[in-house]
Amino acid sequence: IVSVGDKVGNFALWNNTLKSVDAAIFTARPHHKTLSTVLFDNYDPCKVLTAAYDGRITQLDSNKMVFTEIYSCDEALFDVVEDKNNHSLLVAREDGMLVQLDNRKNYKPVNEWQLHEKKINTVSVCPDQEHYLSTASLDRMMCIWDLRKMKKPIHALPHALSINQSSWSPDGKHLATVCMDNHIRVYDAPHLCANPAIAKRSGDILPAKPLCRVHHDNRTGRWLTKFKLDWDKKQPNALVIGSMDQPRCIEVFSASCDRLMRLRTDAVASVQSLNKFHPSLDVIISANSSGRVHVWNN
């Protein structure tokens, strides 16, 4: 089952095992602006969460095919992730605020933190130590936070330009960023969490350096969706990301920033901005900015 959203608020569920298009696809328009997040509920796989630039989060009950609004505000929402350890959702907003919603209290906001000066593009929770999280912002900072003490970040790692995304690997050993300076960076996540940044005598804090970085053209321009990477849960040292190269392709890199492969096919003639590994099968799902979804498999 594949879930997708577009730039005008449309949502679709696609069962690509069914040959009949009418039977395989469910569509709706739960929002009136760009969907930023589509997320299967870890606690109930029959439910799907959607968040959008209209400041709303909705929950689809796929048994009833009904959407219910669970949160709304006046700010655009750019990312939503589950924090299973605290039974909550973490919501990244355009005003640089991170909001925590308790799913045991009908998604009531229980915490609000002003973490960045500008919008938070993504929030990512460490899989094996869920009190650690990272935020990537338009203010060119990737910050690592401890949910138990949110007054200041453990690390604030500057980048040359806006950061599209920060993402922990499935085993929690690596933390990757996608930056508009045309680089993917990978950091030693356990080392960063175990060694908080400490100011020197001069008062300056020297930011930690990445384990590796690789040049990658991330300038998708105004009309294409920004690149985001996805780690493979089946082999947590591999990540997939779209590419601006011709002929069009998607790329798989290792956690050491080595390019492992480029996947190409004559059926794909456009930039695949968003890509996801299947959690258990050797399958990659990719999507472009024209409403097409492709399935890559062996």
Side-chain angles (χ1 to χ4, degrees):
I1 304 293
V2 181
S3 61
V4 293
D6 70 11
K7 293 184 177 181
V8 293
N10 293 309
F11 167 86
L13 274 179
W14 175 32
N15 184 343
N16 73 330
T17 63
L18 300 179
K19 294 183 179 180
S20 168
V21 173
D22 292 337
I25 299 176
F26 163 77
T27 60
R29 193 184 182 193
H31 301 273
H32 61 271
K33 290 186 178 180
T34 300
L35 269 76
S36 55
T37 303
V38 177
L39 181 69
F40 284 98
D41 192 321
N42 277 323
Y43 297 100
D44 186 348
C46 293
K47 294 182 178 179
V48 185
L49 299 170
T50 66
Y53 291 3
D54 61 9
R56 300 167 55 245
I57 300 175
T58 68
Q59 184 182 69
L60 169 68
D61 186 334
S62 61
N63 291 319
K64 301 176 181 178
M65 292 302 179
V66 174
F67 286 90
T68 303
E69 182 180 292
I70 62 173
Y71 175 75
S72 66
C73 67
D74 295 330
E75 299 290 336
L77 308 181
F78 281 82
D79 199 14
V80 177
V81 299
E82 286 187 315
D83 174 14
K84 292 179 287 185
N85 191 50
N86 292 300
H87 301 278
S88 64
L89 297 178
L90 297 173
V91 184
R93 301 195 335 190
E94 186 176 26
D95 57 357
M97 185 168 286
L98 185 71
V99 180
Q100 186 178 36
L101 310 178
D102 193 330
N103 60 18
R104 297 165 297 184
K105 300 179 179 179
N106 294 320
Y107 297 99
K108 176 182 178 182
V110 290
N111 283 300
E112 294 183 347
W113 302 286
Q114 187 68 51
L115 301 186
H116 290 270
E117 296 178 359
K118 298 182 179 180
K119 72 176 180 181
I120 301 174
N121 286 319
T122 63
V123 57
S124 180
V125 175
C126 180
D128 61 341
Q129 298 185 79
E130 292 193 2
H131 51 278
Y132 291 123
L133 61 93
S134 68
T135 52
S137 174
L138 179 63
D139 66 11
R140 305 183 179 187
M141 283 288 184
M142 187 271 281
C143 293
I144 300 175
W145 306 86
D146 186 335
L147 270 170
R148 300 167 297 184
K149 41 186 178 181
M150 292 288 286
K151 290 185 177 180
K152 63 178 182 179
I154 297 174
H155 288 275
L157 304 176
H159 288 55
L161 292 173
S162 173
I163 310 170
N164 294 355
Q165 180 193 21
S166 64
S167 178
W168 302 80
S169 62
D171 57 7
K173 293 182 178 179
H174 299 97
L175 182 58
T177 63
V178 180
C179 182
M180 293 301 288
D181 68 354
N182 290 335
H183 282 91
I184 299 170
R185 294 171 174 83
V186 178
Y187 294 84
D188 183 341
H191 176 78
L192 291 177
C193 294
N195 298 276
I198 300 174
K200 307 299 181 183
R201 289 186 179 181
S202 63
D204 295 330
I205 297 177
L206 297 177
K209 294 183 179 180
L211 283 173
C212 61
R213 70 175 187 172
V214 62
H215 182 273
H216 186 269
D217 186 356
N218 297 322
R219 302 290 185 92
T220 49
R222 180 180 179 183
W223 303 111
L224 299 182
T225 302
K226 294 178 181 178
F227 285 148
K228 291 183 179 179
L229 62 83
D230 187 55
W231 292 94
D232 190 352
K233 291 182 173 61
K234 303 179 295 297
Q235 45 181 0
N237 61 342
L239 60 90
V240 64
I241 191 169
S243 175
M244 295 296 291
D245 289 353
Q246 292 274 16
R248 298 307 187 194
C249 63
I250 62 176
E251 298 180 301
V252 178
F253 289 88
S254 71
S256 55
C257 295
D258 297 316
R259 183 183 288 110
L260 301 177
M261 65 180 73
R262 281 192 173 114
L263 301 178
R264 293 189 175 107
T265 174
D266 292 339
V268 175
S270 59
V271 175
Q272 305 298 297
S273 294
L274 301 177
N275 301 271
K276 287 283 186 180
F277 281 106
H278 191 281
S280 58
L281 304 176
D282 290 329
V283 171
I284 297 173
I285 307 295
S286 65
N288 67 10
S289 295
S290 302
R292 285 185 173 272
V293 176
H294 294 89
V295 179
W296 305 73
N297 57 35
N298 292 328

